[in-house]
Amino acid sequence: MSHRAFCGLSAQHLGELIAELAPRWDARCESGRQQRRHGARRRQAGAGPKYELVFTDRVLVTLVHLRTGLTHEALGVIYEVGSSTIGRAICEIRPLPAARGFAVPDRPGIRLRTLDDVFAYAEAETITLRIDGTETQVRRPKAHSPGRRAFVSGKHEQNTIKTTTISDHQGRTLWSGAVRPGRMHDQTAVRTEGIAERFRMHPAVKAEVDDGCRGPANAFPDQVSAPPRKPKDIDSAPLTQGYGWRELRRLQSSRRSVLTAR
C-alpha cells in the first residue's frame, strides 16, 4: 500500500509526512487519554490495549482510501482487520493532513490553511482564482433519518456531498471548504463560507465562477467574472448573436476547466 500507485506519494514524501504527523497524533491521543482519566497516568507508558493498526498503516489506509476509493471492507481484507477498524482509523487520521493546509506552488514551506490566507496570497501574487462547487457521490443515508433528502443532488440526481473549492489559474487546489449536503445550491455554499466578504476585504483579487456562483459576480462585477447570460428569445435571435453567446461561454469555461479536471 505504500507504493505510489496506491497512496499517491513517493517514498521520501510519505516518510516526511508520517514523521510530521506522528507527534501530532501522539499529542492528540495523550490528550484524549488525559480527559478520560481525569488526571495523570496511573500505569506505565505502553500498558493497556493496543491498536490493531499501527500509526503508519493508519496513515496509509487513509491515503489509499482517499486516492483510490477502495471500500472499508476491501481495505480490511488487505490488512486482515474488520471494516469498522478501517473506518475508525480513517476518521481519526483525516483531520491531521487536513490541518496542514494546502501547499503553495513554488513556495516551499508556505501553506494556506484559511480562506484569509488564500485571498492574501492571491492579492500578493496577482493570481486569478477559480471558484467552483464540487460534488462527491456518497452512500444513501439510512431510511427515515433526519435530513436524508438534503443529500439528493438536483444536478446529478444522486446522494452527494458538496465542497466549495478554490484553485489557481493552473488548477492547483488552494483551499477546500466545509462538507455540505449535495442539495445545497453552489451560491448558498459560497455565501455561507464567507467568500463575498473576502472580496470586499481584498478589492484587488480577481476570480472566475460559473452560473451557479453568479451572486459574487453580480455583487463585485469588477472582481468576479461569470459566463454571459443567455439572451432572451435566443431561438428567434440572429444566428450571429447565438453563436457569439455560445463562444463567450465556451471561452470562459475553457479557462475554468482546469479546476473541473482536478
Side-chain angles (χ1 to χ4, degrees):
M1 292 294 99
S2 62
H3 194 280
R4 187 166 189 166
F6 290 101
C7 69
L9 301 177
S10 64
Q12 179 181 355
H13 192 181
L14 178 61
E16 294 173 353
L17 177 65
I18 292 175
E20 179 184 344
L21 297 182
R24 302 180 188 180
W25 166 255
D26 291 337
R28 196 177 71 175
C29 290
E30 185 59 33
S31 176
R33 298 188 193 104
Q34 184 80 7
Q35 293 179 358
R36 291 192 296 271
R37 289 193 302 257
H38 301 288
R41 178 188 294 275
R42 299 187 181 92
R43 294 186 292 181
Q44 293 183 353
K50 305 297 187 296
Y51 287 111
E52 292 186 79
L53 292 176
V54 298
F55 175 71
T56 300
D57 287 335
R58 298 167 79 87
V59 173
L60 282 173
V61 162
T62 304
L63 294 176
V64 172
H65 172 70
L66 294 176
R67 177 174 174 80
T68 65
L70 279 175
T71 63
H72 296 178
E73 184 178 3
L75 289 169
V77 172
I78 295 173
Y79 281 90
E80 299 181 352
V81 295
S83 59
S84 60
T85 300
I86 298 294
R88 185 165 55 252
I90 293 174
C91 290
E92 292 175 349
I93 294 297
R94 283 189 67 171
L96 295 178
R100 299 174 71 238
F102 290 89
V104 177
D106 306 323
R107 295 291 189 276
I110 300 179
R111 289 188 170 273
L112 307 178
R113 293 180 172 84
T114 65
L115 195 57
D116 291 323
D117 292 343
V118 174
F119 274 77
Y121 167 71
E123 188 174 32
E125 300 292 334
T126 319
I127 292 175
T128 300
L129 302 176
R130 269 69 169 177
I131 305 175
D132 199 0
T134 60
E135 295 189 38
T136 305
Q137 186 177 358
V138 296
R139 298 180 64 180
R140 188 178 186 184
K142 295 181 180 180
H144 310 298
S145 59
R148 184 188 187 195
R149 289 181 55 82
F151 290 88
V152 181
S153 170
K155 178 179 180 180
H156 297 282
E157 297 183 354
Q158 296 174 339
N159 291 273
T160 64
I161 54 176
K162 175 176 294 185
T163 56
T164 302
T165 306
I166 299 179
S167 75
D168 63 5
H169 59 287
Q170 296 186 34
R172 297 174 294 196
T173 304
L174 302 178
W175 181 81
S176 184
V179 176
R180 307 181 188 278
R183 198 176 187 88
M184 178 178 289
H185 196 279
D186 287 354
Q187 185 165 309
T188 304
V190 168
R191 184 173 60 252
T192 306
E193 295 287 359
I195 292 178
E197 296 299 324
R198 269 63 180 191
F199 281 115
R200 190 173 289 107
M201 296 167 58
H202 301 272
V205 175
K206 308 291 185 180
E208 293 184 348
V209 299
D210 62 359
D211 278 326
C213 303
R214 189 174 288 277
N218 295 336
F220 307 95
D222 296 332
Q223 296 178 252
V224 185
S225 64
R229 294 183 179 274
K230 184 177 181 179
K232 295 182 179 180
D233 302 327
I234 189 174
D235 295 333
S236 58
L239 182 62
T240 54
Q241 183 178 355
Y243 175 79
W245 170 72
R246 294 185 179 88
E247 184 64 16
L248 288 175
R249 287 181 62 89
R250 186 191 67 79
L251 291 175
Q252 205 268 358
S253 177
S254 65
R255 292 195 300 268
R256 295 181 55 260
S257 62
V258 290
L259 174 59
T260 306
R262 296 300 178 100

